[in-house]
Amino acid sequence: MSLHVHRIRSPAFQLHHALKKHYSVAAATKGTTKASELFSDEQRRQRENVGRIEKIEVRYLGLPHDTTLVMNRELSTPYDCARHIGEKYCQQSALALLDNKTPWDMRRPLRDSCTLQLLNFTSPEPHIANKAFWRSCSFLLGAVLQASFKPEAGLFLHSFPKPNVKSGSFVHDIVLAEEHWNPTVSELRALSIEMVKLAQKNLPIERLDVSSELALEMFHDNPYKREQIPSVAGQNNGQVTVYRVGEHVDISKGPMMGSSGLLGRCTISVAHPVKEGSESGKHFYRMQGVALPAVLRIGHFAYNILENRSRKLNPAKLPNEPFEDTVAEQVA
């Protein structure tokens, strides 16, 4: 299985910018589009069900100065609050912190009056934002992989484990029909380029809590997600949290950063085969990469060290392990 970049021909693995004139991608995007449509319909339904608009007080703590904002319960988000404070806070904030304890997605509606802090990647204590960044990278990698493989590759996105920044890599576990897929340097570089392109689009990353029934409908064509959904819902009061970027939808506990534009330098570094649990026509691979937030810059030598470290097999729970026993580790 190879990647079609410039003059490289690809039987089962494609990048849209190279193959639009040669192949139809409708079959590859049909399931993704359906999930996105269901996401939009449910998002609209939940907004319409808010009913009478109630006001809440949001006490913002931070630069340029503390202030109190009057917002709409179940409609206004930290991103909306940031717009009142200043445009740069919309662009730079990765995550919100409510009442000095609860990480909150930038585009997730606020439920009650609270204090609000906006977190970014240059904060003195960036560990909360860093975890959200690592998780978001795994999610964005799933979007790139979903868009890059042709249907005959037999791609299924399995899951991505909770982030561990100390591991040196973000992860997305996938299933392919091919048993001995070993991507070339050019193919991995092409995936890295697609990650950067996704960042340049600066797409919002949206969160939605849905019923397990709707989640099953969203992922009707992915048997691995359907197997996971009952366990996920069982630990979340019957709800499943899903995220969307562009047309891509996936399951995650969150929180995630507010937009793809916060992703900076990125390398998809390796694909490790996972032999245990694989079967004929369904083979597990652990995709790994490393990235930096857009606001951070380091030298070429230092970044090479990070790249090399990211190629080591990430020790997070493997996709072949019993899901019910490790759902907290397997679904970030």
Side-chain angles (χ1 to χ4, degrees):
M1 189 183 304
S2 60
L3 190 67
H4 184 85
V5 184
H6 304 299
R7 296 183 179 180
I8 300 175
R9 298 286 178 178
S10 167
F13 190 21
Q14 68 178 18
L15 284 179
H16 286 177
H17 69 82
L19 293 180
K20 275 183 178 178
K21 63 182 179 180
H22 300 298
Y23 296 88
S24 167
V25 298
T29 60
K30 183 177 179 180
T32 302
T33 302
K34 176 64 174 176
S36 181
E37 290 174 352
L38 291 170
F39 188 106
S40 293
D41 291 344
E42 177 62 13
Q43 188 180 60
R44 189 181 307 110
R45 186 193 69 80
Q46 291 186 16
R47 288 172 178 168
E48 291 172 350
N49 283 353
V50 170
R52 185 173 67 87
I53 296 176
E54 299 180 18
K55 298 297 181 180
I56 57 174
E57 286 191 356
V58 178
R59 180 64 178 169
Y60 168 71
L61 306 176
L63 296 174
H65 53 78
D66 297 354
T67 187
T68 299
L69 304 170
V70 178
M71 308 301 288
N72 297 325
R73 185 195 302 271
E74 298 289 358
L75 292 173
S76 298
T77 66
Y79 186 84
D80 295 322
C81 296
R83 293 174 64 186
H84 287 284
I85 298 164
E87 183 62 28
K88 77 171 186 177
Y89 297 96
C90 297
Q91 298 172 357
Q92 297 176 359
S93 300
L95 202 64
L97 188 67
L98 306 188
D99 295 327
N100 203 36
K101 62 180 180 181
T102 306
W104 202 262
D105 296 89
M106 288 296 293
R107 288 180 166 82
R108 183 181 180 185
L110 298 165
R111 296 171 179 168
D112 296 294
S113 296
C114 60
T115 64
L116 170 69
Q117 297 165 264
L118 298 176
L119 307 181
N120 59 52
F121 300 115
T122 58
S123 301
E125 297 291 337
H127 60 282
I128 297 176
N130 284 345
K131 281 190 174 182
F133 176 76
W134 226 233
R135 180 184 292 111
S136 303
C137 289
S138 292
F139 172 61
L140 295 175
L141 175 55
V144 164
L145 293 169
Q146 192 77 69
S148 298
F149 282 88
K150 292 167 62 179
E152 52 264 41
L155 170 72
F156 291 104
L157 300 182
H158 185 280
S159 58
F160 47 98
K162 66 180 181 179
N164 178 4
V165 179
K166 292 181 180 179
S167 71
S169 60
F170 60 85
V171 172
H172 206 119
D173 294 325
I174 65 172
V175 177
L176 291 174
E178 185 168 329
E179 182 176 3
H180 300 293
W181 181 52
N182 184 22
T184 65
V185 172
S186 294
E187 291 170 351
L188 292 172
R189 185 182 299 119
L191 288 173
S192 303
I193 291 171
E194 291 303 300
M195 289 285 284
V196 173
K197 286 184 176 181
L198 185 55
Q200 291 172 343
K201 292 179 181 178
N202 195 24
L203 298 174
I205 297 177
E206 304 170 279
R207 173 189 173 119
L208 195 65
D209 294 319
V210 305
S211 67
S212 58
E213 292 79 12
L214 181 56
L216 288 169
E217 188 176 355
M218 284 180 167
F219 301 101
H220 70 280
D221 57 349
N222 188 323
Y224 301 98
K225 300 289 184 189
R226 290 178 63 85
E227 181 183 356
Q228 297 161 16
I229 284 169
S231 296
V232 173
Q235 297 188 23
N236 192 30
N237 298 317
Q239 297 283 296
V240 177
T241 302
V242 294
Y243 281 82
R244 177 173 68 176
V245 62
E247 295 290 303
H248 177 68
V249 179
D250 206 347
I251 300 170
S252 174
K253 297 175 182 177
M256 294 198 192
M257 61 187 185
S259 75
S260 65
L262 294 169
L263 173 67
R265 193 170 182 177
C266 179
T267 301
I268 307 307
S269 54
V270 70
H272 287 290
V274 181
K275 298 187 182 301
E276 297 81 3
S278 295
E279 56 185 88
S280 179
K282 296 178 180 179
H283 303 279
F284 287 111
Y285 294 88
R286 169 154 286 183
M287 303 294 301
Q288 296 180 195
V290 66
L292 295 174
V295 296
L296 298 183
R297 302 283 191 275
I298 64 172
H300 182 71
F301 178 78
Y303 189 75
N304 277 348
I305 293 175
L306 296 181
E307 285 183 315
N308 290 333
R309 183 185 177 199
S310 73
R311 295 185 178 98
K312 182 181 178 181
L313 179 63
N314 191 296
K317 293 289 185 179
L318 293 170
N320 58 287
E321 298 184 30
F323 189 82
E324 292 78 5
D325 298 335
T326 58
V327 62
E329 288 77 20
Q330 284 184 322
V331 178

